[in-house]
Amino acid sequence: MPMLYERFGWRRNPFTLSPVPEVYVGNEEALRRALALAGAGGVLVIEGEYGIGKTMLLLRLKLELGE
């Protein structure tokens, strides 16, 4: 499989159902607010219904903060 990745320029398996925070598309306002709070040392509580994107938001936040 790694050979296919190189051939098509993929960094990871594009057929996985795992979250890919680099291509986060969703509530940009929530991401902006979370970044502001985290940058100020605030405490975040992320809640919502199943499948709404909580994990993806947190993974993108981690990526943006370089954690």
Side-chain angles (χ1 to χ4, degrees):
M1 196 67 96
M3 196 163 89
L4 272 178
Y5 291 5
E6 291 175 18
R7 180 176 176 190
F8 292 104
W10 300 332
R11 292 185 331 178
R12 61 175 58 147
N13 184 350
F15 305 110
T16 184
L17 295 178
S18 300
V20 182
E22 295 88 353
V23 293
Y24 174 77
V25 176
N27 190 337
E28 299 296 327
E29 175 63 16
L31 178 60
R32 186 191 62 73
R33 289 174 43 203
L35 282 168
L37 281 170
V43 175
L44 302 174
V45 176
I46 308 294
E47 64 178 1
E49 295 179 27
Y50 177 82
I52 203 159
K54 298 176 299 290
T55 300
M56 183 66 83
L57 175 65
L58 290 171
L59 289 172
R60 180 58 190 260
L61 183 62
K62 180 180 174 184
L63 183 71
E64 292 287 330
L65 295 173
E67 301 287 322

